[in-house]
Amino acid sequence: MRKSFMLALVFVLALCCCAGAEEIKIGACIYRFNDAFMLRFRNAMADESGKLGAVIEFADGQDDQTTQNEQIDGFISAGVNVLIVNPVDRMSSQAIIDKAKAANIPVVFINREPTAEMLATYDKAYYVGAKAEESGTFSGELVADYFKAHKESDKNNDGKLQFVLLRGQNGHQDMILRSRYAVQAVRDAGIEPAEVANAIANWDKLQAMQIMNAFLMAIGPENIEAVIANNDEMALGAIEALKANDYNKGDASMYIPVVGVDANASALEAMRNGELLGTVLNDADNQGISSVRLAVALASGRDANSIGYKITDGKYIWIPYQKITRGDRQ
Ligand code: BGC
Ligand code: CA
């Protein structure tokens, strides 16, 4: 009697352990749900979790680090096995790493890169993303190639490129490095870049539209030879403003080349329509899939090198960008 009870107990315990090991719970913190690129990212994460039989729960940080910190505490006390974090402020990542470390659960950062020093403080802290400088270089090359191929786009014939720069959120590596490397790529192509205006539009279409409207009024479209935006949403906002001024509507003499980054569906459509010159694929699918695979591998104690994505320097998964021009994708 007693023996069979013990056996039953062992059996139940074994069952619990197995179930525990197999059903990984992921707490995923997104800086803000209302972001077109992060929506693509989230969808990829949800799909991959489903495929791996893991349970993923998403929290909307609403662009507020304090809110996100509370959500992280909530996930930890609910007993998640691993965190995936898209920090609101990447410079706050140390506090997040400290929380994960204290709870002894792995943490995979995405899209907003902690410093190498921060990641080095915890052996179970990783980053999945894309090299910001690469996207900057590609977007600058798109503009430079166009400028060279279309002599008339040098409207004032000074050999320099008069451009407007629309930047993402302050402090984001993609805002800093895309801006720098886009301008550098223009210079490397042998064209002198001449910035006529720049502004932070926080990755946001509406803000970019308003800013571009103000720039068009103050500077005049005839004095702008290109618009370089750190992402597609801002590029699309700029295009709205241009269209309201009868630009980029099909008349070749009323056209300003605009480039973005992400290759969101709406940008690809604008490119097909001839409104957007080009963009850079920010591969949300592979970033989403690899972050979930990494999280599940770490949480179940499996080798991170077994997930089909290369781990660099023991900490990073880098997903390459791709230049997208009309004709690449129909
Ligand atoms: C994307 C932006 C997005 C931002 C969010 C960037 O990599 O290009 O579209 O708003 O990430 O952090
Ligand atoms: Ca010029």
Side-chain angles (χ1 to χ4, degrees):
M1 176 72 183
R2 196 179 163 80
K3 199 172 170 195
S4 64
F5 172 76
M6 285 296 283
L7 270 178
L9 188 67
V10 167
F11 183 67
V12 166
L13 278 176
L15 261 186
C16 288
C17 291
C18 285
E22 270 162 23
E23 192 174 89
I24 300 294
K25 286 200 252 36
I26 306 171
C29 296
I30 305 298
Y31 96 95
R32 184 165 80 112
F33 276 4
N34 185 17
D35 176 296
F37 174 73
M38 290 314 303
L39 176 60
R40 276 169 60 200
F41 208 129
R42 238 180 329 135
N43 287 338
M45 289 166 72
D47 283 357
E48 187 63 15
S49 300
K51 281 187 193 153
L52 299 181
V55 176
I56 191 162
E57 198 185 314
F58 291 96
D60 180 0
Q62 294 167 33
D63 211 8
D64 184 82
Q65 190 59 60
T66 310
T67 301
Q68 185 172 70
N69 290 343
E70 285 162 10
Q71 291 166 341
I72 288 169
D73 293 339
F75 276 143
I76 289 175
S77 45
V80 298
N81 306 104
V82 55
L83 289 166
I84 298 181
V85 182
N86 170 214
V88 174
D89 170 9
R90 68 193 182 97
M91 288 306 159
S92 297
S93 302
Q94 187 64 60
I96 298 168
I97 291 173
D98 293 346
K99 285 177 198 283
K101 194 175 179 180
N104 193 28
I105 55 172
V107 56
V108 177
F109 289 93
I110 54 169
N111 174 260
R112 293 169 169 222
E113 192 182 336
T115 64
E117 290 74 25
M118 293 176 186
L119 290 176
T121 64
Y122 185 31
D123 60 341
K124 290 176 191 154
Y126 289 77
Y127 179 69
V128 173
K131 295 265 189 190
E133 39 293 40
E134 189 177 35
S135 53
T137 301
F138 285 160
S139 66
E141 286 174 357
L142 288 168
V143 171
D145 287 349
Y146 183 86
F147 192 74
K148 284 185 168 172
H150 297 82
K151 294 294 165 215
E152 75 284 1
S153 69
D154 185 7
K155 294 175 178 167
N156 61 355
N157 244 319
D158 66 349
K160 302 178 190 172
L161 176 76
Q162 275 74 28
F163 70 96
V164 164
L165 180 64
L166 294 174
R167 294 146 80 210
Q169 267 180 315
N170 219 354
H172 197 305
Q173 79 281 344
D174 289 342
M175 174 276 214
I176 300 165
L177 296 172
R178 283 177 189 167
S179 300
R180 186 184 304 158
Y181 280 82
V183 175
Q184 188 57 44
V186 170
R187 197 173 285 124
D188 289 348
I191 304 162
E192 192 179 321
E195 186 182 278
V196 290
N198 86 74
I200 289 181
N202 294 309
W203 309 120
D204 186 74
K205 182 174 175 181
L206 185 63
Q207 285 184 43
M209 188 191 80
Q210 290 164 343
I211 288 165
M212 191 65 201
N213 259 323
F215 285 165
L216 286 167
M217 292 251 270
I219 303 163
E222 66 283 4
N223 299 314
I224 300 172
E225 297 172 348
V227 177
I228 299 173
N230 285 167
N231 79 343
D232 282 348
E233 284 295 294
M234 296 189 294
L236 292 172
I239 287 170
E240 286 305 309
L242 286 168
K243 283 163 63 181
N245 286 271
D246 288 326
Y247 269 71
N248 294 33
K249 288 171 100 175
D251 177 348
S253 70
M254 305 269 281
Y255 175 74
I256 296 178
V258 179
V259 293
V261 176
D262 282 338
N264 287 340
S266 48
L268 295 175
E269 196 191 321
M271 191 177 68
R272 281 192 294 269
N273 296 338
E275 299 166 355
L276 178 76
L277 174 66
T279 185
V280 180
L281 172 68
N282 191 3
D283 189 343
D285 288 345
N286 275 304
Q287 291 176 62
I289 293 169
S290 60
S291 58
V292 166
R293 286 195 193 168
L294 178 60
V296 170
L298 295 170
S300 41
R302 274 192 290 115
D303 183 2
N305 290 297
S306 67
I307 63 171
Y309 289 87
K310 185 170 167 246
I311 311 275
T312 305
D313 298 331
K315 289 277 174 200
Y316 298 94
I317 294 178
W318 295 115
I319 304 297
Y321 281 107
Q322 261 176 63
K323 213 187 284 186
I324 308 286
T325 53
R326 217 173 162 182
D328 285 348
R329 309 194 138 201
Q330 289 307 323

